[in-house]
Amino acid sequence: MGATGLRALLNSVRYEVLPAKSTEDKVLAHVPRDVVVTVTASPVKGLEPTLDLAGRLATHGYRVVPHVPARLLRDDVHLKEVTARLRESGVDDVFVPAGDSDPPAGVYDGALPVLRGLSELGRPFARVGVTGYPESHPLIHDDLTIQAMWDKREHATYIVSNLCFDPRVLGEWLVRIRRRDVTLPVHVGVAGPVQRAKLLAMATKIGVGESTRFLTRHASWFMRFAAPGGYGPERLLSRMEEALTAPSAGVAGLHLFTFNQIAETERWRRALLDRVDG
């Protein structure tokens, strides 16, 4: 990848973290204040750990993006309460996926009703993100996921793509959504410099049921990380150069899945920036 394009992507990153006990300290120790931090939400632990960590990081001066899965919200009253709490913390950006809770905690089965609810509340957040699926969703046909992004465009301001390890698939997906007149900017989801053993250790810490679900749904990730030569985000970015830098793609930056290997992710980013600038 050319130095200019790579530098722009590395300077427009978001770090996705899990709300574990040590996450706040790791972020404070290793993440610069100009890096956006997104906080996931667990079907097992619910929204509270996410809201709590997001509020604390916001007080430290970070631009924080809590995940607010639709299927973790009970009803319109709960949505209003969560919105008020986040706004009081200074949060002005939320990510609204459908979520994995099965069954849902309340009345919402997907993201669109929540997005409509936020619009009815006066659009309290300046930025609202939704999910994109370059690789097929296990339960939803590809055309339906693209249609869903079209339906959400009036309420959302950007898309975060799910993990994709295939540059050809990612490039074709970006072309397809633009042909369908989905014009929202895309933050491309990329795994950080994660090691398979550490990813497995992290998965075992997030709860037995949650861990089993995680490993079952993402078995292919572990195979990628364990492939000969291992996984390298720099190699992936290089192979994705054309897809990521095409003006028509509308790529706004990278969304790095840290899997709470926060120090390792930031060291990798800084080292790569130093090489580019050197």
Side-chain angles (χ1 to χ4, degrees), residues 135 164-166 196 219-231:
E135 296 185 329
C164 180
F165 295 93
D166 189 326
R196 181 176 180 270
S220 63
W221 293 2
F222 291 92
M223 295 179 64
R224 305 250 191 183
F225 294 135
Y231 165 75

Side-chain angles (χ1 to χ4, degrees), residues 51-66:
L51 302 177
D52 182 54
L53 179 58
R56 295 201 310 271
L57 290 176
T59 64
H60 290 300
Y62 287 96
R63 182 176 148 201
V64 188
V65 185

Side-chain angles (χ1 to χ4, degrees), residues 193-274:
V194 61
Q195 297 178 10
R196 181 176 180 270
K198 290 186 177 181
L199 180 58
L200 182 59
M202 181 280 298
T204 62
K205 293 179 181 178
I206 58 179
V208 176
E210 180 76 355
S211 201
T212 301
R213 199 160 30 238
F214 181 91
L215 295 172
T216 300
R217 291 184 178 178
H218 305 300
S220 63
W221 293 2
F222 291 92
M223 295 179 64
R224 305 250 191 183
F225 294 135
Y231 165 75
E234 185 177 352
R235 292 195 300 275
L236 182 65
L237 291 175
S238 179
R239 294 174 61 203
M240 287 182 173
E241 176 177 6
E242 185 175 350
L244 296 176
T245 58
S248 60
V251 172
L254 299 179
H255 182 97
L256 289 173
F257 294 83
T258 71
F259 301 102
N260 274 19
Q261 295 181 40
I262 296 166
E264 295 88 341
T265 302
E266 178 60 11
R267 278 199 300 269
W268 167 81
R269 186 180 77 98
R270 291 305 325 172
L272 192 49
L273 274 171
D274 289 344

Side-chain angles (χ1 to χ4, degrees), residues 4-5 17 52 86 92 248:
T4 300
V17 304
D52 182 54
L86 291 174
D92 68 352
S248 60

Side-chain angles (χ1 to χ4, degrees), residues 21 28-29 40 72 106 144 149 154 158 194 222 236 238 252 269:
K21 290 182 179 179
L28 291 174
T40 66
L72 285 181
L144 294 180
M149 284 186 288
E154 294 181 359
Y158 64 92
V194 61
F222 291 92
L236 182 65
S238 179
R269 186 180 77 98

Side-chain angles (χ1 to χ4, degrees), residues 28-46:
L28 291 174
H30 303 291
V31 181
R33 296 301 195 279
D34 60 349
V35 171
V36 176
V37 179
T38 82
V39 184
T40 66
S42 161
V44 173
K45 297 181 180 179

